[in-house]
Amino acid sequence: MNDKLRKDVKLLKALQGISYKEIAELLEIRQDSFYNWLKGYYEFGEERQSRLIEVICCLKE
């Protein structure tokens, strides 16, 4: 699931120009932590994954 979310986040940035910084702020995590997650250094837990799914859905609209 984390890999799919990473792909979705990268698509948001590429297609809609939404910055990783903005997504990190919406998730209420530090920007460097978000970049580390994007690079695959660690995985988000279920709660954070659910929150990211909500953020992605809102930003896609």
Side-chain angles (χ1 to χ4, degrees), residues 6-20 22-23 56 59-61:
R6 287 182 184 100
K7 181 181 171 190
D8 290 345
V9 166
K10 290 175 183 178
L11 281 172
L12 268 180
K13 180 174 173 65
L15 299 177
Q16 297 187 14
I18 297 167
S19 70
Y20 293 144
E22 185 179 349
I23 297 170
I56 290 170
L59 294 174
K60 280 184 178 178
E61 293 177 353

Side-chain angles (χ1 to χ4, degrees), residues 6-61:
R6 287 182 184 100
K7 181 181 171 190
D8 290 345
V9 166
K10 290 175 183 178
L11 281 172
L12 268 180
K13 180 174 173 65
L15 299 177
Q16 297 187 14
I18 297 167
S19 70
Y20 293 144
K21 178 181 178 182
E22 185 179 349
I23 297 170
E25 288 173 357
L26 291 169
L27 285 175
E28 299 175 351
I29 62 172
R30 292 185 359 212
Q31 190 174 348
D32 61 333
S33 297
F34 188 72
Y35 278 106
N36 286 337
W37 172 79
L38 265 180
K39 294 176 186 174
Y41 294 158
Y42 71 95
E43 305 291 306
F44 282 161
E46 287 182 30
E47 190 175 314
R48 178 87 16 103
Q49 286 179 31
S50 297
R51 177 73 182 121
L52 181 54
I53 291 167
E54 290 174 18
V55 167
I56 290 170
C57 289
C58 288
L59 294 174
K60 280 184 178 178
E61 293 177 353

